[in-house]
Amino acid sequence: MTDPDPAQATSPEDLARCLRHLRLRADNPAFRLMEQRTRHVSGLFPGTTVGRVPLRRSTISEVLGNEKFPRKGFFLTFVELCGIDLATDRRWEEAWDRVASRIQEEKSEAFTTQLPAQPNYLSEQFAAERRARVELAKEVEVLRQQLRGDRKSVV
């Protein structure tokens, strides 16, 4: 079986596929076993400020199913658990960095394209609230006049 090549990964789907392949190559350990083996992990990964983290079965399932993009500590812990020496094989960290950066760019672009529509929405909402306040003020004035009229008839 050939090794998965994280250098080719350009999307979260690609990374999830590489992780599934890597797990298969590591004799397909059960999620429960992966959770147990990482329960007490600690320390930083070589050459990084990223720490090892315990893997939870539910998160493993979500990441491998491409339902969730993993945090870097999770990703590197998973890769290391599957037998990759991260000190000598930097492709995995580079792949995560590349895909995470791409996701961030896509989120920024999506946010930026929504911005021009937002001020219009807010000004329309503000104008509608102002019209509602004017109508309410008119109703209050009518009620005040009615009250003054009732008081005059009583006296």
Side-chain angles (χ1 to χ4, degrees):
M1 177 178 291
T2 61
D3 287 343
D5 187 5
Q8 302 300 316
T10 59
S11 68
E13 296 84 13
D14 293 342
L15 272 187
R17 189 176 311 107
C18 283
L19 290 178
R20 287 191 302 270
H21 191 122
L22 189 61
R23 178 174 168 251
L24 183 62
R25 194 192 77 158
D27 199 25
N28 213 22
F31 293 172
R32 182 180 305 274
L33 180 61
M34 295 177 88
E35 183 177 62
Q36 289 170 349
R37 286 183 179 168
T38 60
R39 185 168 287 140
H40 302 290
V41 295
S42 63
L44 300 178
F45 289 100
T48 72
T49 58
V50 178
R52 291 172 176 86
V53 299
L55 304 180
R56 293 181 47 226
R57 287 174 282 171
S58 59
T59 309
I60 295 170
S61 176
E62 292 169 344
V63 168
L64 294 181
N66 195 34
E67 299 168 31
K68 180 178 186 176
F69 186 73
R71 291 181 45 220
K72 191 171 189 175
F74 178 97
F75 181 79
L76 295 177
T77 301
F78 185 99
V79 169
E80 185 178 65
L81 180 64
C82 289
I84 300 296
D85 181 1
L86 294 168
T88 59
D89 189 351
R90 306 293 294 180
R91 296 175 307 152
W92 293 92
E93 182 182 1
E94 292 165 359
W96 187 92
D97 289 342
R98 181 177 53 255
V99 173
S101 177
R102 183 174 174 192
I103 290 170
Q104 191 62 38
E105 287 173 15
E106 289 172 0
K107 284 182 181 178
S108 292
E109 288 173 13
F111 178 75
T112 304
T113 57
Q114 292 173 356
L115 282 180
Q118 210 170 12
N120 292 337
Y121 167 76
L122 292 176
S123 28
E124 289 170 11
Q125 187 177 9
F126 181 73
E129 288 177 9
R130 188 175 348 162
R131 286 190 298 272
R133 273 192 240 113
V134 167
E135 289 301 315
L136 187 59
K138 288 178 184 176
E139 290 177 31
V140 167
E141 186 56 35
V142 168
L143 290 172
R144 283 186 180 147
Q145 288 175 0
Q146 288 175 352
L147 278 174
R148 283 189 214 123
D150 286 348
R151 285 187 188 154
K152 289 179 184 176
S153 63
V154 171
V155 179

